[in-house]
Amino acid sequence: MIRLENLTKTFDTPNGTVVAADKVNMEVPSGEICILLGPSGCGKTTALKMINRLIPPSSGKIFINGEDTSGLNDIELRRKIGYVIQQIGLFPNMTIEENICVVPRLLGWDLKRARARAAELLALVGLEPRLFLKRYPKELSGGQQQRVGVIRALAADPPVMLMDEPFGAIDPINREIIQDEFLKMQATLKKTIMFVSHDIDEAVKMGDKIAIFRAGKIEQYDAPDRILAHP
Ligand code: ADP
Ligand code: ADP
């Protein structure tokens, strides 16, 4: 599970202090997808970045499976968390195989095992390994690239996935397809997922729970049908 305890982030800007996360307390049970839903600027991305240690919290604590992550080194943290962003972020000068193998190699997997994993994951999302392993990202469509973005985050089999509008840049028809594929994968993988969205339809479709963010605070946290019943 992921637990946030009084997690707070303030930014000092020339126009004063911005409170991007204001004593956020929440818990995502193991195996659930929690959607962070809310308008632009309410602090969703900041929350994910703190969990993934891209920015330091001002105060508060983050626990993964009961362990305070501040005690983990970067490699140990990488073992626990996969991260998917909207802009996909594949390395353009690496092949698809090399992209998928980055984190496993960082974690010390030998090349043979990492490559076998890359092929296995490509097949899982319907990309024939023989055709895709040696291609470069620019040779793939947007939807294909984002499938690779997702499986790259899954490569070392982390228990936690952080996903920041992962399907936001994909056209509506392909978005539906990739959402359905992802839910099918999650039914067996059972990752613990925090998933940022600003799309209520996506939140209801993908979320076991929805956390409604507003101005750095969680306003509501509940199952989608209960959120819809009490807007
Ligand atoms: P969201 O992901 O919900 O769109 P963000 O987490 O990106 O929101 O931003 C939350 C608030 O924090 C916004 O007011 C934003 O302008 C501010 N913010 C985010 N990053 C920085 C930064 N590096 N410096 C100053 N303010 C920031
Ligand atoms: P997104 O919402 O797509 O994640 P943003 O436009 O919120 O992107 O932020 C892009 C980057 O700029 C982030 O790294 C964020 O931390 C930073 N940022 C956001 N708002 C501000 C701000 N007011 N001042 C400085 N940096 C900011």
Side-chain angles (χ1 to χ4, degrees):
M1 55 88 179
I2 307 167
R3 186 152 56 89
L4 309 182
E5 242 179 54
N6 288 320
L7 193 63
T8 297
K9 181 69 189 182
T10 58
F11 292 105
D12 290 316
T13 74
N15 305 318
T17 301
V18 176
V19 185
D22 190 0
K23 299 203 185 89
V24 172
N25 288 291
M26 69 183 293
E27 184 168 321
V28 184
S30 294
E32 288 198 357
I33 300 179
C34 175
I35 308 285
L36 309 187
L37 182 70
S40 185
C42 67
K44 308 180 297 293
T45 295
T46 299
L48 289 199
K49 285 182 175 172
M50 285 192 282
I51 298 169
N52 205 33
R53 204 179 278 167
L54 296 173
I55 54 175
S58 304
S59 60
K61 289 196 162 131
I62 299 159
F63 298 86
I64 292 180
N65 295 336
E67 193 174 13
D68 185 339
T69 62
S70 66
L72 302 175
N73 67 33
D74 288 349
I75 293 283
E76 290 165 338
L77 190 78
R78 212 41 55 228
R79 231 183 269 287
K80 292 189 191 293
I81 300 177
Y83 193 58
V84 185
I85 58 172
Q86 179 177 355
Q87 300 79 6
I88 305 174
L90 298 179
F91 301 111
N93 299 322
M94 291 185 186
T95 63
I96 299 307
E97 179 177 60
E98 287 165 344
N99 265 282
I100 299 170
C101 290
V102 168
V103 172
R105 292 288 282 159
L106 189 73
L107 297 180
W109 294 28
D110 69 46
L111 192 56
K112 205 172 158 199
R113 179 173 173 221
R115 284 185 164 160
R117 179 71 173 155
E120 173 196 332
L121 286 168
L122 278 172
L124 192 65
V125 293
L127 300 175
E128 169 61 44
R130 198 168 40 82
L131 297 177
F132 285 92
L133 281 168
K134 303 301 178 192
R135 286 203 207 171
Y136 287 87
K138 66 172 190 308
E139 301 172 294
L140 274 59
S141 73
Q144 290 170 339
Q145 287 186 41
Q146 191 54 297
R147 285 179 177 84
V148 176
V150 171
I151 61 176
R152 183 178 60 168
L154 285 166
D157 205 19
V160 165
M161 293 270 283
L162 305 176
M163 308 179 74
D164 197 346
E165 298 197 33
F167 311 135
I170 299 170
D171 65 89
I173 293 170
N174 281 304
R175 189 182 312 146
E176 290 253 341
I177 295 170
I178 204 169
Q179 285 170 340
D180 291 337
E181 283 175 4
F182 186 77
L183 285 176
K184 211 180 279 175
M185 274 201 308
Q186 167 67 358
T188 42
L189 295 176
K190 295 270 179 223
K191 301 295 178 187
T192 308
I193 300 176
M194 282 176 95
F195 183 125
V196 164
S197 180
H198 61 242
D199 174 355
I200 179 85
D201 294 330
E202 180 172 68
V204 169
K205 175 174 179 174
M206 306 293 290
D208 295 298
K209 301 273 168 51
I210 298 176
I212 309 252
F213 266 64
R214 200 171 301 276
K217 286 181 188 292
I218 298 179
E219 273 198 336
Q220 264 184 297
Y221 181 78
D222 219 330
D225 54 340
R226 296 174 60 95
I227 297 259
L228 290 175
H230 304 278

